Amino acid sequence: DAGSKVLSTLASDPRVDVRFSVAANPSTRAETLERLLKDKSADVVASLAQNPSTPIEILRTLASDDDLGIRCSLAKNPSLPIDLMKSLALDELCRSDLAENPGLPADIFSELSRDGSLGWALAGNPSTPAAILGALSREDDYLTREYLAGNPSTTTEILSKLAKHESESVRRNVASNHRSSTESLSLLARDEDQDVREFVAGNPNTSPETLTLLSNDDEDLVRAGVLGNSNALLSDFLAILASFKQH
């Protein structure tokens, strides 16, 4: 088809960023991806390694590449065969990249969860089993909780606890998470951090009552966020528009 022909042509483009994009494109044909395996740029080959459409035989070739960046990019590929995942789980330098891979089977998730240094990576992975996310929620590490708060698979119960965390970055992620409850969002609507309130204003789970509160916020960006929320009452919508016209 025409699209595949264009991608094939672009695979020979002199610009690295163009070839990088072709290598990352899931629609790129196998024969074009095979050509890119020989690309002189390690960044292009790393992009190829992470493409879920890259043929298995190419992935196996890349698994033994001497370039660390290429192997670590490969570790993030959700189409990796199980045996390569298990092999990369033994690669100390790429284990954190593997922990971010949404295609991992339960036994590898379990193995990686025993490595305390990988908590943040597992906490941000939407495919991490609920039991592991629950265990991670009890850790004190700020980075782990920040990633956990932003994970779309984190339970509402855990998010409710994280909504009271002392770190603004954790509360911001809870405020933007579409699994956060209306109760948590109501609490965060009163947060001292402006960014937290902005994220609450844009969250589709925020109740009309909470949006009414935010429609009177002192910060323009918070009120603007209410304008984009379909749960906002017409009366609040009009009041915010009127307030902007007075500026």
Side-chain angles (χ1 to χ4, degrees):
D1 60 77
S4 295
K5 290 180 180 179
V6 170
L7 289 170
S8 178
T9 300
L10 292 175
S12 301
D13 194 282
R15 293 165 294 183
V16 172
D17 59 333
V18 172
R19 302 197 309 278
F20 180 97
S21 297
V22 174
N25 194 319
S27 298
T28 301
R29 283 184 172 178
E31 54 266 31
T32 302
L33 294 173
E34 191 168 352
R35 281 168 48 207
L36 289 168
L37 176 62
K38 302 178 179 67
D39 198 279
K40 60 185 178 181
S41 168
D43 288 339
V44 172
V45 180
S47 178
L48 171 70
Q50 201 168 335
N51 188 333
S53 296
T54 296
I56 299 298
E57 58 270 23
I58 294 180
L59 298 181
R60 292 192 180 284
T61 298
L62 293 173
S64 57
D65 199 285
D66 292 333
D67 190 290
L68 176 63
I70 290 174
R71 295 200 314 278
C72 290
S73 291
L74 181 69
K76 296 180 181 180
N77 193 320
S79 297
L80 271 183
I82 301 298
D83 64 304
L84 289 187
M85 289 182 176
K86 290 182 177 179
S87 175
L88 286 165
L90 301 176
D91 190 329
E92 294 291 336
L93 297 176
C94 294
R95 280 165 67 88
S96 63
D97 297 280
L98 185 67
E100 296 181 77
N101 191 324
L104 295 180
D107 60 329
I108 296 183
F109 269 120
S110 179
E111 177 187 344
L112 295 176
S113 69
R114 291 191 282 272
D115 184 339
S117 69
L118 300 179
W120 65 271
L122 292 169
N125 191 327
S127 297
T128 297
I132 294 177
L133 291 179
L136 291 171
S137 72
R138 294 188 286 275
E139 294 189 4
D140 292 331
D141 180 64
Y142 275 27
L143 187 60
T144 295
R145 293 193 173 187
E146 181 178 341
Y147 275 86
L148 189 63
N151 191 326
S153 297
T154 299
T155 64
T156 298
E157 179 183 5
I158 292 175
L159 291 170
S160 295
K161 295 176 181 177
L162 293 175
K164 302 168 187 171
H165 198 275
E166 61 188 65
S167 169
E168 289 91 349
S169 59
V170 172
R171 299 198 307 277
R172 287 169 189 164
N173 281 352
V174 175
S176 63
N177 195 314
H178 290 189
R179 291 198 71 178
S180 291
S181 66
T182 55
E183 291 78 14
S184 293
L185 294 169
S186 177
L187 171 69
L188 292 170
R190 297 165 174 79
D191 200 280
E192 62 183 17
D193 184 82
Q194 176 184 332
D195 290 338
V196 171
R197 302 196 307 278
E198 280 184 47
F199 287 129
V200 172
N203 195 309
N205 293 337
T206 302
S207 68
E209 294 78 14
T210 299
L211 291 172
T212 294
L213 171 68
L214 293 172
S215 70
N216 294 302
D217 198 278
D218 291 336
E219 299 295 337
D220 288 350
L221 289 176
V222 175
R223 300 201 306 282
V226 175
L227 290 177
N229 196 313
S230 61
N231 293 333
L233 299 174
L234 178 60
S235 56
D236 294 329
F237 188 90
L238 295 175
I240 294 170
L241 288 179
S243 72
F244 286 147
K245 288 180 180 179
Q246 293 173 3
H247 284 355

